[in-house]
Amino acid sequence: MLQKPLPKELWHRDRRAHERNREHPKDQPLYNLSNSNSSAIESSVVALRFIKDGTTDGGNGFFVNVPGTEQGVIFTAGHNLIDEKKNRTKNLEAWWQGQPAWVKIDDSQVRISRIYEANPTAASGISDYGAILLPKAPGTTYPGFGFALKLAEEERLEPTLSITSYKAGSNIGANPSTSTGPCMNPIINKNQLEYKIDTEGGVSGSAVWVGYNKYPTVVAIHNYGPKRAGPKYGSRGTRINLTVLREIFQWVGVFQENKRILVKSPSPPAPALGLRLIYSPDDQIIRVVVGESEPDRAALERFDVLPVYSSAVVGTKPTVEYGFRQADSSQESHWISWDKEWECATLASALDRSKLADWALKGKTTMSTISRQFDGTLWEVIVKADSSVVKPWDLDFPGAEFSGISYQKKGARTKDSFSTFVLE
């Protein structure tokens, strides 16, 4: 017998998303820098030297703390790594504080933006970036600036910007210098920043950074001086946005593309058909689906997972946040917001409207937990599967969906719930 849909006024409160706006107000960035964290600046700056067009030349790079890898990741300008004739620079070496000598960089450690490598000229200037990947060495901890993808969504950057770099021809033991100036607001090109900071040859690849959440945080890779003389033009840098981080994180191996978030629990065991997270456009929340969803809803289970925030390396464990991104038909990004406040999870239209969480491996397993701070307490995301949210027989019905997202304090145990996940 066919049953009519239950009227919306009788839906459970978790499903009545049409009754209220399930998006948080925009977070206002907190621009500040603690003196105790400023040591990360000079230690993270890298001097480069190389041969380009047959001539000894130099540039800069900088370490960024990339969660999920033990490699050292140096961001730099693409034109430090390749010339306009598409020849890789030769005899590339790097030096940073604490190293007794220049470190030789093998060509296998070098990555260049796909767009810039295809046309390594100023015409591809907004894609003029690359990276140097250093292997993990026993006992080595690499330094690193912080980064915040949220800042790439800002239409204005009001705080003073800084560029910290080694001057051309600097020798081992030299100290980097810092120049400051304002960003040219509003930001017209979402892929490039302009700033009123005097720059000179040899500082390409330097970090353009701000103080954010008390830590030095990079916002651009410096690569060009002003387009032309005059007060309307400033020095330029490739903005560190989703396009840039996506490509660099793919090189590093920390960008997880088009993945499903699967409940994985050895004890108590998850239901035999499996449980996955899925976005429900009707309910405007993240729900749980049993087994395989209907073919026309399969895309709603798919997310890109990547680090979107890390504080700088200053001796304590950095604060890390991951983004779970789902693109709509127009490729606009929407991000999971882990809403402890509402005891659910939703999709936000921007990172600065979402409540982000850490995605951390549990011990030496392949399983991860999802956790976020709220009101001074660390909460874990859980999937509840008790009779208050789902009928027992529905757990044996492929495609059944229920509202099972909830939260528990870190280390707590909630009956008939699961707190570990894998990506598949």
Side-chain angles (χ1 to χ4, degrees):
M1 180 177 64
L2 295 176
Q3 293 182 334
K4 293 182 179 180
L6 191 68
K8 286 188 174 182
E9 63 269 17
L10 298 181
W11 285 7
H12 186 274
R13 59 181 174 78
D14 280 350
R15 302 195 65 193
R16 297 198 300 267
H18 60 287
E19 293 182 357
R20 59 178 173 150
N21 181 3
R22 280 190 177 272
E23 189 160 72
H24 293 277
K26 169 181 161 54
D27 285 337
Q28 296 303 317
L30 181 63
Y31 295 117
N32 59 8
L33 178 65
S34 169
N35 289 334
S36 63
N37 296 330
S38 61
S39 61
I41 301 167
E42 292 192 358
S43 64
S44 299
V45 178
V46 179
L48 301 176
R49 68 181 185 184
F50 44 83
I51 295 176
K52 183 178 178 181
D53 296 325
T55 303
T56 299
D57 204 344
N60 275 257
F62 54 95
F63 283 100
V64 174
N65 184 46
V66 178
T69 181
E70 293 184 336
Q71 297 177 91
V73 184
I74 299 172
F75 290 24
T76 188
H79 68 258
N80 287 337
L81 307 172
I82 193 171
D83 64 25
E84 292 190 353
K85 298 177 183 178
K86 300 185 179 181
N87 297 313
R88 294 288 185 100
T89 52
K90 302 183 184 302
N91 298 350
L92 178 61
E93 295 179 311
W95 180 82
W96 59 97
Q97 290 185 357
Q99 296 301 302
W102 289 89
V103 176
K104 295 184 182 299
I105 306 299
D106 187 78
D107 196 51
S108 64
Q109 299 170 260
V110 172
R111 304 289 187 273
I112 302 169
S113 158
R114 174 182 54 82
I115 292 175
Y116 189 76
E117 190 168 27
N119 180 27
T121 67
S124 303
I126 60 174
S127 299
D128 186 353
Y129 63 88
I132 298 168
L133 309 183
L134 302 180
K136 170 64 177 176
T140 299
T141 299
Y142 290 109
F145 282 94
F147 69 93
L149 190 54
K150 282 184 179 182
L151 297 183
E153 298 178 341
E154 295 295 317
E155 296 179 354
R156 307 176 66 90
L157 287 175
E158 300 294 357
T160 297
L161 304 187
S162 299
I163 295 179
T164 302
S165 58
Y166 289 101
K167 300 298 183 183
S170 293
N171 294 316
I172 289 176
N175 291 317
S177 59
T178 298
S179 301
T180 62
C183 183
M184 299 186 69
N185 292 314
I187 299 167
I188 304 301
N189 188 333
K190 66 179 181 179
N191 297 306
Q192 188 178 66
L193 296 184
E194 286 192 64
Y195 31 86
K196 300 298 289 184
I197 302 177
D198 292 332
T199 56
E200 61 188 58
V203 301
S204 287
S206 298
V208 184
W209 60 272
V210 298
Y212 174 69
N213 288 347
K214 300 184 179 181
Y215 292 93
T217 303
V218 289
V219 293
I221 304 166
H222 172 70
N223 43 29
Y224 294 97
K227 186 182 298 184
R228 52 182 64 95
K232 295 182 179 180
Y233 301 95
S235 297
R236 293 165 289 164
T238 295
R239 195 172 192 182
I240 297 177
N241 58 16
L242 179 60
T243 299
V244 172
L245 291 182
R246 176 179 182 142
E247 187 166 23
I248 293 176
F249 288 173
Q250 284 174 333
W251 298 335
V252 179
V254 298
F255 185 92
Q256 303 290 327
E257 188 170 12
N258 200 32
K259 297 294 186 180
R260 296 190 294 186
I261 306 169
L262 172 68
V263 170
K264 187 75 171 180
S265 177
S267 179
L273 291 178
L275 301 175
R276 297 172 179 84
L277 304 192
I278 187 171
Y279 176 62
S280 171
D282 291 335
D283 307 325
Q284 297 183 25
I285 61 172
I286 304 297
R287 304 190 79 208
V288 183
V289 61
V290 178
E292 299 291 334
S293 59
E294 296 296 327
D296 63 342
R297 295 177 63 79
L300 299 172
E301 295 181 42
R302 298 289 179 172
F303 299 90
D304 296 335
V305 183
L306 69 154
V308 296
Y309 173 76
S310 176
S311 56
V313 177
V314 291
T316 58
K317 184 179 179 181
T319 300
V320 171
E321 293 174 335
Y322 277 73
F324 297 77
R325 170 184 177 268
Q326 192 170 88
D328 62 19
S329 57
S330 63
Q331 293 305 301
E332 288 292 321
S333 295
H334 300 274
W335 304 86
I336 294 184
S337 181
W338 304 101
D339 298 314
K340 172 65 181 77
E341 301 90 324
W342 301 336
E343 288 295 318
C344 66
T346 60
L347 276 191
S349 61
L351 277 174
D352 58 18
R353 293 180 181 275
S354 62
K355 302 303 179 183
L356 301 173
D358 188 13
W359 170 266
L361 283 175
K362 188 175 180 64
K364 296 183 179 180
T365 70
T366 60
M367 299 179 294
S368 294
T369 57
I370 303 171
S371 57
R372 64 161 287 217
Q373 290 279 349
F374 177 69
D375 278 354
T377 300
L378 187 61
W379 296 85
E380 289 183 331
V381 177
I382 61 173
V383 168
K384 295 176 66 176
D386 60 22
S387 58
S388 69
V389 295
V390 61
K391 300 302 181 185
W393 52 83
D394 280 339
L395 296 176
D396 297 320
F397 186 78
E401 294 183 17
F402 60 96
S403 300
I405 296 293
S406 189
Y407 300 83
Q408 67 182 13
K409 290 183 179 180
K410 182 76 172 179
R413 296 290 297 271
T414 302
K415 186 179 179 181
D416 296 326
S417 70
F418 312 98
S419 61
T420 50
F421 306 84
V422 294
L423 300 178
E424 64 168 17

